Amino acid sequence: MWWWPAFLYPPPAPAFVAAASVAQFALLANAGLGELRGEHMAYSKFWQVVAGKKKNGGGGGGGALLPSRQGMLVAYVPAFVAAAASFAVPGAVVGVRAQVLSAALTVHFLKRILEVLFIHQYSGSMPLNTAATISSSYLVTTATMIYAQHLAAGLPDPPVDLLYPGVAAFAVGIAGNFYHHYLLSQLRNAAGGSGGGERQYRIPTGGLFGLAACPHYLFEIVGFFGFAMIAQTAHALAVASGTAAYLAGRSCATRRWYESKFEDFPDSIKALVPYIL
């Protein structure tokens, strides 16, 4: 097809994959718009915002609660298991590109789990329905990315090969994300650790925090586009684009939250991309 991008495999024949690509992009992008409208996913600092709305009669954040650490493990473990288990399914991971993609997804979620266990500091709660929503989203996108790559096996490689640049982008993304998560954890330690009492927040410093409120989200986006470059399927590109849309909305909401919390929050600090957004 003359109009199809030279860096992508041909579109998949199964309607399921095409529908999943559109649906996952739309759901993620809509969640990003929801963040801009103040309809936050109830985790991290926004759990307190959502809980406050419910207390004041605004709804949201109801249902069973989990300790935040357990909630984040619920969010990440199923996707990690799916990615790692793909190597054990006969014929599921065929060829270097598919192996690299499944390995990158496994490493990504293993890193998340290790951060939850050993890096992040937690003190609050997380609604079970929020954990289940995040978990199902990660699980479905992981499984469908691997399945879409399986469908591409045997097809001619795209004229523009992005496998190794994709590996480099993934490495930069995961390293930058980890570094800024570590800085956030150190900030929390300096503010009093994970003991009881009301959580204290401070303006993050170090790394790119002097230029953007959420550089950890920026590097997460880089990592997801690393997946897309490794895979070179339309589905992986849709997932990366949807993730970017959601995290852009979440970043803007986070910057607004910092402005409301700290009168001295610098105007020069952008939400996501230094100097730009």
Side-chain angles (χ1 to χ4, degrees):
M1 295 177 293
W2 62 268
W3 52 270
W4 192 252
F7 58 86
L8 292 178
Y9 281 100
F16 160 74
V17 177
S21 302
V22 173
Q24 288 170 13
F25 171 79
L27 288 171
L28 287 165
N30 185 63
L33 291 174
E35 294 287 341
L36 292 175
R37 294 191 297 262
E39 301 164 2
H40 306 299
M41 290 288 289
Y43 66 92
S44 186
K45 60 181 62 65
F46 288 110
W47 156 239
Q48 298 181 15
V49 176
V50 174
K53 287 182 178 180
K54 179 176 174 58
K55 186 179 296 184
N56 294 327
L65 297 177
L66 295 174
S68 292
R69 193 181 306 275
Q70 293 182 18
M72 298 313 293
L73 288 174
V74 169
Y76 298 137
V77 168
F80 165 72
V81 171
S86 67
F87 288 100
V89 178
V93 181
V94 177
V96 172
R97 192 181 298 274
Q99 292 170 354
V100 172
L101 176 64
S102 289
L105 288 165
T106 302
V107 169
H108 172 79
F109 288 107
L110 176 61
K111 166 191 163 289
R112 288 296 190 85
I113 292 168
L114 294 176
E115 285 178 340
V116 170
L117 293 175
F118 302 112
I119 299 296
H120 295 311
Q121 303 294 327
Y122 297 99
S123 61
S125 300
M126 182 177 185
L128 176 59
N129 60 1
T130 297
T133 297
I134 298 172
S135 179
S136 60
S137 175
Y138 279 138
L139 176 60
V140 170
T141 55
T142 297
T144 50
M145 270 198 282
I146 293 171
Y147 179 60
Q149 203 65 44
H150 170 73
L151 294 176
L155 295 175
D157 285 334
V160 178
D161 187 358
L162 297 178
L163 174 60
Y164 294 110
V167 172
F170 170 73
V172 169
I174 200 169
N177 180 261
F178 171 79
Y179 174 63
H180 288 89
H181 279 170
Y182 173 76
L183 291 178
L184 287 173
S185 73
Q186 295 302 108
L187 187 73
R188 179 69 197 283
N189 286 336
S194 57
E198 184 178 354
R199 181 168 184 171
Q200 297 180 357
Y201 286 98
R202 298 170 61 186
I203 299 174
T205 57
L208 293 182
F209 280 115
L211 300 173
C214 298
H216 50 305
Y217 289 161
L218 174 62
F219 282 104
E220 185 170 353
I221 291 169
V222 171
F224 267 85
F225 276 100
F227 293 145
M229 293 165 70
I230 292 168
Q232 295 191 237
T233 62
H235 178 72
L237 180 60
V239 170
S241 300
T243 299
Y246 170 67
L247 292 178
R250 184 84 173 182
S251 297
C252 291
T254 298
R255 189 187 186 284
R256 286 203 304 252
W257 184 89
Y258 280 126
E259 285 184 316
S260 70
K261 198 79 172 176
F262 302 101
E263 293 182 358
D264 58 343
F265 188 78
D267 292 336
S268 60
I269 295 180
K270 300 297 184 181
L272 180 65
V273 182
Y275 308 111
I276 298 174
L277 174 64

